[in-house]
Amino acid sequence: MRVHLGCDHAGLDLRDHLVGWLTDHGYEPVDHGPQTYDALDDYPVFCLRAAEAVVRDREDGLDSLGVVIGGSGNGEQMAANKVAGVRAALVWSEETARLAREHNDANVVSVGGRMHSLEDMTRFVEVFLAEPFSGDERHVRRIGQLASYEQTRELPLLPSSATDA
């Protein structure tokens, strides 16, 4: 599996660690930067590239996921989610990493480099990469609603439970 990585200065340590960890565990890491520390760099520059690469790979039939890393992971997740076809999840535990894949079929994971230990963050990424999407009908339906909205900008119909008085 190919894993696209993007970060800002706050994510460099984890990114550098993950490149080696991914290689050692049979993944193909693709680093979208930055290459050097710059305390004033802008995470969208790197996270958007990583997210776009995930979508391109998947459109080409390749097994691909992404990891974006910042101080909190919030902005990086927001940036990745601007790319059509990306479902980026901010994770802060093994359970949120597992559920991001199992229930939401997330294709990009975001972690906060200043929020957790290197060991914990590596474990979150490991769980995310290993967990398959469940394919349960309710999850497929929900993801379909998001994908439809992303393309059409038409809101899904309200269920009867929202309109019954």
Side-chain angles (χ1 to χ4, degrees):
M1 175 189 293
R2 187 174 289 165
V3 179
H4 294 276
L5 301 156
C7 68
D8 68 0
H9 57 279
L12 278 175
D13 289 342
L14 176 59
R15 192 276 318 274
D16 290 345
H17 167 75
L18 281 177
V19 168
W21 185 91
L22 290 164
T23 301
D24 291 346
H25 288 83
Y27 295 97
E28 177 190 349
V30 180
D31 181 9
H32 294 274
Q35 300 311 312
T36 59
Y37 181 86
D38 176 358
L40 299 178
D41 64 8
D42 298 320
Y43 60 83
V45 173
F46 309 109
C47 296
L48 288 168
R49 283 171 170 75
E52 281 198 352
V54 169
V55 171
R56 272 194 314 274
D57 276 359
R58 289 173 156 257
E59 287 173 349
D60 291 342
L62 299 173
D63 193 15
S64 178
L65 292 172
V67 178
V68 292
I69 312 153
S72 70
N74 282 310
E76 295 72 23
Q77 176 205 25
M78 291 176 195
N81 275 321
K82 295 298 180 187
V83 175
V86 167
R87 285 179 308 283
L90 175 64
V91 301
W92 59 90
S93 67
E94 288 184 35
E95 184 174 9
T96 58
R98 181 182 59 76
L99 291 172
R101 291 284 302 133
E102 182 184 347
H103 289 187
N104 307 113
D105 199 18
N107 49 19
V108 174
V109 65
S110 183
V111 292
R114 294 180 177 154
M115 303 291 114
H116 310 280
S117 70
L118 191 65
E119 178 181 271
D120 284 345
M121 289 184 294
T122 303
R123 180 66 182 145
F124 303 161
V125 171
E126 179 181 25
V127 168
F128 177 82
L129 295 175
E131 186 67 36
F133 175 53
S134 70
D136 288 352
E137 186 277 329
R138 66 188 170 123
H139 301 307
V140 171
R141 182 181 67 246
R142 293 165 184 165
I143 292 166
Q145 290 172 359
L146 293 172
S148 177
Y149 178 77
E150 187 174 62
Q151 290 184 344
T152 68
R153 294 299 185 216
E154 294 178 20
L155 292 170
L157 296 176
L158 288 171
S160 61
S161 62
T163 58
D164 290 343

